[in-house]
């Protein structure tokens, strides 16, 4: 394939590809500029959250036309022909555009990194906001990559959809869990205490997929030879066989988590919980409690623990998260059991896994087909497909670790070694590592003053909440005044209003701990506001001003309501736990 640059009828350059005896023009041989105007079309309906993906840079005409209007949008260029890219990026009309910070270029083999680029540079606000422009013939010349590109965009959009659904469904529960868990976080253990404690020890992550019953009995012989991680669905089938896992992982915020584990609350094994894991399970669990912050709550959790915290790249499922936790603890290899990620034999879960019938009936059907470990097609759901993608990307990012799929069924997880569990145990679980002894050494008792210090810290968070409440209410009132100004009244107050708004915003932003506490509670509202008041690429000034006024009004109202909600919750927590502390003190004195 060779590239020839010719002069079009309109006098500007065009590009012709010679592929064997075929001649293909990437741009019009008459007027490439007019063609680009038609290709890009009207952008009036698009907002600033739209991500534009150009499959093929060519001589840059589409990019040039797009950049006239989409000055603030993320633009991703994929040019498989590296020679053409190197030529075009130096063109006078293209070079300054490519150098813009909102433009990302991938050329040649680097185009395969598109998923990582999307992951790093987009967020949930970009859900369903991807626009693909394809250069003529590129879908045929690079057919395999084009098909892969469409699949990547689709699967990534599915990830954002899962996140959006979770925000809508779970944010209220997550927020409540976080508030209710605060006293237990104060007296609990940080995951950082367990970093690398099982260096190069095998870990078994036990999931509740349909294939679990095939080989669960094999785990009887590895309780002292591997670190076993269980979720709430796999706890009972393990215990029924005399297999006691070393950790229970509490990842799901919903009450079903407690329902599935409620008959085993007296177990002495530690529970590893997200700081916003189900609060009933955390409260009722008799064993030790280990907590993991996420990156949205890192400052708050560090303040409560009084030490630096690590965040862990937990995924959407308990198996995703358990794998990340095991990796953090230094485990290697990581052995997946019962991890079908598909509806093997048309089943959602193993027959032996714990179930709550009403909840299980709500699970999505197999609306997608994926390759299984035998090379056949097998049904899965969009949610399971999201978990599958998480595993494959996590494995790619942790190439120094060995990942073994010992499920003996289900979807193929790229990057894993496919083995039977029996063979895996023979090869990798051949030494006694005594996980219980190592865990016991970490579980040191905390001092009596920990709880008192924790309550004082809660009181400081409460002070910040009251600052947010006061300033948000004030800014809501000032925003309404600003709205009246726009309608022609009290124009002389304009600068004063802006000054007051800025002062209050500064005070709100300084309340870092309280803002983190409110984060998940506000998420559905923030997402709705972002969608409702998304800035348009082409927008009249008066429309933009009105949009900003209405957006600010809703934001301050949301912030105020969130602060009021949590103020009451934290006041109650402090009161209840001061009584608990006083009772403990009286017992000690007597």
């Amino acid at each position: 394939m060779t590239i020839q640059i010719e002069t079009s009828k309109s006098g500007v350059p065009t590009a012709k590809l010679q592929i064997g005896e075929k001649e293909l023009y990437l741009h019009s041989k008459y007027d490439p500029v007019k063609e680009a105007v038609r290709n890009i079309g009207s952008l009036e309906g698009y907002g600033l959250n739209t991500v534009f993906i150009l499959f093929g840079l060519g001589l840059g005409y589409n990019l040039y036309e797009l950049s006239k209007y989409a000055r603030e949008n993320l633009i991703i260029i994929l040019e498989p022909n590296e020679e053409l890219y190197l030529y075009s990026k130096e063109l006078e009309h293209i070079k300054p555009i490519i150098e813009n910070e909102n433009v990302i270029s991938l050329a040649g083999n680097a185009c395969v990194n598109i998923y990582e680029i999307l992951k790093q540079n987009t967020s949930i606000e970009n859900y369903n906001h991807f626009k693909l422009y394809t250069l003529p013939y590129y879908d045929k010349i690079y057919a395999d990559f084009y098909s892969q590109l469409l699949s990547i965009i689709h699967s990534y959009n599915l990830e954002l959809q899962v996140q959006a659904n979770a925000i809508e469904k779970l944010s209220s529960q997550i927020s409540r869990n976080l508030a209710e868990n605060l006293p237990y976080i104060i007296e609990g253990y940080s995951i950082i205490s367990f970093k690398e404690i099982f260096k190069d020890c095998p870990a078994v992550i036990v999931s509740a997929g349909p294939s679990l019953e095939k080989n669960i009995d094999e785990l009887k012989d590895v309780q002292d030879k591997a670190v076993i991680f269980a979720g709430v669905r796999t706890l009972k089938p393990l215990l029924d066989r005399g297999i006691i896992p070393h950790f229970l992982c509490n990842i799901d915020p919903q009450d079903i988590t407690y329902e599935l584990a409620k008959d085993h609350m007296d177990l002495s094994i530690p529970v590893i919980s997200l700081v916003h894991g189900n609060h009933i399970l955390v409260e009722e669990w008799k064993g030790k409690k280990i907590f993991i912050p996420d990156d949205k709550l890192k400052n708050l959790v560090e303040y409560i623990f009084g030490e630096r915290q690590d965040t862990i790249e937990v995924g959407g499922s308990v198996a995703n998260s358990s794998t990340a936790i095991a990796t953090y603890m230094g485990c290697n290899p990581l052995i997946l059991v019962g991890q079908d990620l598909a509806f093997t034999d048309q089943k959602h879960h193993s027959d032996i896994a714990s179930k709550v019938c009403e909840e299980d009936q709500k699970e999505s059907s197999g609306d997608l087909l994926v390759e299984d470990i035998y090379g056949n097609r097998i049904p899965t759901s969009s949610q399971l497909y999201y978990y599958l993608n998480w595993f494959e990307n996590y494995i790619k990012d942790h190439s120094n670790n060995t990942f073994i799929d010992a499920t003996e069924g289900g979807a193929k997880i790229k990057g894993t070694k496919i083995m039977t569990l029996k063979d895996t145990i023979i090869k990798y679980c051949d030494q006694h590592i005594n996980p219980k002894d190592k865990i016991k050494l970490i579980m040191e008792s905390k001092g009596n003053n920990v709880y008192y210090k924790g309550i004082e810290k809660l009181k400081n968070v409460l002070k910040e909440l009251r600052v947010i409440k006061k300033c948000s209410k004030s800014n809501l009132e000032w925003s309404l005044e600003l709205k009246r100004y726009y309608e022609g009244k009290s124009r002389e107050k304009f600068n004063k209003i802006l000054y007051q708004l800025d002062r209050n915003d500064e005070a709100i932003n300084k309340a870092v701990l309280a803002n983190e506490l409110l984060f998940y509670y506000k998420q559905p509202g923030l997402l709705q506001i972002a969608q409702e008041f998304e800035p348009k690429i082409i927008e009249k000034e008066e429309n933009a001003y009105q949009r900003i006024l209405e957006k600010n009004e809703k934001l301050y109202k949301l912030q105020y309501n969130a602060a009021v909600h949590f103020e009451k919750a934290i006041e109650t927590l402090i009161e209840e736990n001061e009584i608990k502390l006083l009772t403990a003190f009286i017992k000690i004195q007597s």
Side-chain angles (χ1 to χ4, degrees), residues 499-516:
Y499 174 73
Q500 292 295 340
L501 286 168
D502 287 344
R503 277 190 64 191
N504 285 332
D505 281 340
E506 187 177 349
I508 290 169
N509 291 333
K510 283 182 179 178
V512 174
L513 304 176
N515 276 312
E516 289 193 358

Side-chain angles (χ1 to χ4, degrees), residues 10-29:
S10 64
V12 300
T14 188
K16 181 175 72 176
L17 291 183
Q18 187 80 36
I19 305 176
E21 296 182 358
K22 285 186 178 180
E23 293 183 347
L24 303 173
Y25 281 89
L26 299 182
H27 305 288
S28 169
K29 53 185 176 182

Side-chain angles (χ1 to χ4, degrees), residues 169-180:
K169 180 182 177 183
L170 301 176
S171 288
S172 178
Q173 180 74 54
I174 286 172
S175 301
R176 182 183 177 191
N177 289 341
L178 175 60
E180 295 283 355

Side-chain angles (χ1 to χ4, degrees), residues 51-294:
V51 177
F52 294 103
I53 302 173
L54 301 182
F55 182 42
L57 173 62
L59 297 182
Y61 293 112
N62 285 346
L63 174 64
Y64 183 77
E65 183 62 28
L66 180 63
S67 67
K68 287 181 184 178
Y69 305 99
R71 297 183 183 91
E72 298 178 51
N73 294 70
L74 176 63
I75 299 174
I76 301 173
I77 300 165
L78 302 169
E79 178 49 78
N81 191 315
E82 194 163 6
E83 181 185 353
L84 181 57
Y85 173 78
L86 292 173
Y87 172 83
S88 298
K89 78 182 185 72
E90 298 299 328
L91 294 173
E92 186 178 350
H93 67 296
I94 294 302
K95 189 173 183 178
I97 300 172
I98 285 183
E99 290 175 350
N100 285 343
E101 61 180 15
N102 65 311
V103 176
I104 298 174
S105 303
L106 299 174
N109 293 332
C111 290
V112 299
N113 297 323
I114 178 62
Y115 176 84
E116 285 74 17
I117 294 298
L118 290 173
K119 192 87 171 172
Q120 293 165 12
N121 295 278
T122 64
S123 66
I124 197 166
E125 291 183 0
N126 303 114
Y127 167 57
N128 266 351
H129 282 65
F130 297 96
K131 174 64 176 174
L132 176 65
Y133 292 103
T134 303
L135 213 58
Y137 304 111
Y138 266 44
D139 58 335
K140 304 291 191 301
I141 299 169
Y142 303 104
D144 288 345
F145 179 74
Y146 179 70
S147 176
Q148 184 184 357
L149 173 62
L150 294 178
S151 176
I152 289 170
I153 294 171
H154 174 69
S155 61
Y156 181 68
N157 206 45
L158 275 179
E159 287 188 32
L160 296 183
Q161 182 184 24
V162 170
Q163 292 175 34
N165 291 344
I167 285 173
E168 184 177 348
K169 180 182 177 183
L170 301 176
S171 288
S172 178
Q173 180 74 54
I174 286 172
S175 301
R176 182 183 177 191
N177 289 341
L178 175 60
E180 295 283 355
N181 286 343
L182 285 173
Y184 302 99
I185 296 170
I186 289 167
E187 61 183 5
Y189 295 82
S190 164
I191 193 66
I192 201 168
S193 303
F194 294 81
K195 187 172 186 177
E196 297 288 322
I197 68 158
F198 295 115
K199 183 72 174 170
D200 294 328
C201 295
V204 180
I205 290 84
V206 188
S207 301
S211 299
L212 178 62
E213 56 210 84
K214 292 179 181 177
N215 54 19
I216 187 173
D217 291 311
E218 302 282 354
L219 296 177
K220 291 177 184 176
D221 299 327
V222 299
Q223 293 181 80
D224 291 326
K225 299 176 182 178
V227 188
I228 302 175
F229 293 81
V232 290
R233 285 189 187 272
T234 55
L235 187 57
K236 183 179 185 301
L238 285 169
L239 295 175
D240 285 348
R241 289 157 177 78
I243 304 163
I244 301 175
H246 299 104
F247 295 104
L248 174 70
C249 292
N250 177 33
I251 306 301
D252 193 331
Q254 300 176 92
D255 290 346
I256 185 178
T257 303
Y258 169 72
E259 292 297 324
L260 290 165
K262 66 182 180 181
D263 294 332
H264 311 290
M265 291 291 114
D266 291 332
L267 272 179
S268 60
I269 66 170
V271 61
I272 301 175
S273 178
L274 294 177
V275 289
H276 45 66
N278 183 258
H279 73 276
I280 307 175
L281 190 150
V282 168
E283 181 180 354
E284 296 292 330
W285 192 257
K286 297 300 187 288
K288 300 291 187 181
K289 302 169 178 76
I290 305 164
F291 290 95
I292 306 173
D294 65 20

